[in-house]
């Protein structure tokens, strides 16, 4: 092989390597697409009570899985200092245009309906309680309004697993 031929081969190889590097920089990998919607979201509330508060009341939701147009999640609400705690069952709902309607039950025996929306990196929940159990102390109900929760973790671990 002549030197001229070797020089042309190196030139072509160099161009191919440059094109590959350029493509790798321009085309993101599959896992680097839009930020993942799965994870833990939370909204804390300020409270005015006459006793020490070490844990503010909060709503939370864990988006455990989004697959094939369905979302799997669980809702939690904790009162002042974590009492009482209400966790929903694990909810599975159809997801269309970043919105889902669902039915729920909680650990105290209450139940109802709800809507979930993904919007700008947040999760918004509107929950209506349609059945109130005996000895009920609180509710997951959001009073007819959407509660906007920000992402606090990428963890997909559910609060507790009960169907």
């Amino acid at each position: 092989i002549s030197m001229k031929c070797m020089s042309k081969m190196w030139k072509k190889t160099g161009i191919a390597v440059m094109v590959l590097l350029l493509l790798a920089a321009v085309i993101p990998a599959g896992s680097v697409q839009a930020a993942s919607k799965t994870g833990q979201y939370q909204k804390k509330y300020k409270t005015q009570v006459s006793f020490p508060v070490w844990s503010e009341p909060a709503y939370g939701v864990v988006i455990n899985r989004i697959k094939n147009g369905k979302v799997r999640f669980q809702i939690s609400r904790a009162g002042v200092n974590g009492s009482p705690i209400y966790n929903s069952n694990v909810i599975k709902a159809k997801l269309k245009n970043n919105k889902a309607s669902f039915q729920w039950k909680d650990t105290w025996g209450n139940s109802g309906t709800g809507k979930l929306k993904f919007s700008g990196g947040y999760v918004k929940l509107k929950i209506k309680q349609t059945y109130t159990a005996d000895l009920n102390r609180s509710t997951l109900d959001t009073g007819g309004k959407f509660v906007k929760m920000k992402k606090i973790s990428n963890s997909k671990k559910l609060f507790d697993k009960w169907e």
Side-chain angles (χ1 to χ4, degrees):
I1 301 177
S2 72
M3 288 300 275
K4 196 174 192 179
C5 191
M6 286 291 280
S7 176
K8 283 183 182 181
M9 279 180 24
W10 277 111
K11 199 173 195 177
K12 285 181 181 178
T13 304
I15 291 171
V17 168
M18 292 294 283
V19 168
L20 287 174
L21 287 173
L22 184 60
L23 284 174
V26 171
I27 300 172
S31 63
V32 182
Q33 296 172 357
S36 174
K37 295 175 184 169
T38 56
Q40 294 183 358
Y41 296 77
Q42 186 180 68
K43 164 96 175 161
K44 287 188 175 184
Y45 294 92
K46 297 289 181 204
T47 186
Q48 302 245 338
V49 291
S50 59
F51 52 87
V53 174
W54 59 86
S55 179
E56 298 288 345
Y59 268 102
V61 64
V62 173
I63 307 298
N64 176 259
R65 183 182 316 142
I66 299 173
K67 188 175 181 181
N68 300 327
K70 295 179 183 169
V71 60
R72 182 174 187 246
F73 61 101
Q74 189 175 28
I75 304 163
S76 184
R77 182 171 183 271
V80 177
N81 297 334
S83 178
I85 295 176
Y86 286 76
N87 289 336
S88 75
N89 57 316
V90 176
I91 301 166
K92 298 169 188 156
K94 284 185 183 178
L95 188 62
K96 187 173 181 180
N97 297 324
N98 288 319
K99 297 176 186 173
S101 294
F102 58 91
Q103 294 185 335
W104 59 271
K105 292 181 182 178
D106 70 22
T107 46
W108 289 70
N110 305 304
S111 60
T113 59
K115 295 187 183 303
L116 175 140
K117 290 196 252 183
F118 291 102
S119 175
Y122 291 88
V123 166
K124 295 179 180 180
L125 277 177
K126 182 162 73 171
I127 303 166
K128 181 178 182 180
Q129 185 166 311
T130 57
Y131 174 78
T132 302
D134 293 339
L135 306 175
N136 182 56
R137 293 175 47 206
S138 189
T139 182
L140 290 174
D141 195 298
T142 60
K145 297 178 182 176
F146 276 95
V147 174
K148 184 178 178 181
M149 291 178 253
K150 69 178 183 177
K151 192 169 191 177
I152 60 166
S153 163
N154 287 322
S155 173
K156 296 184 271 185
K157 185 175 187 232
L158 297 167
F159 300 116
D160 57 19
K161 290 184 185 178
W162 68 280
E163 300 289 330

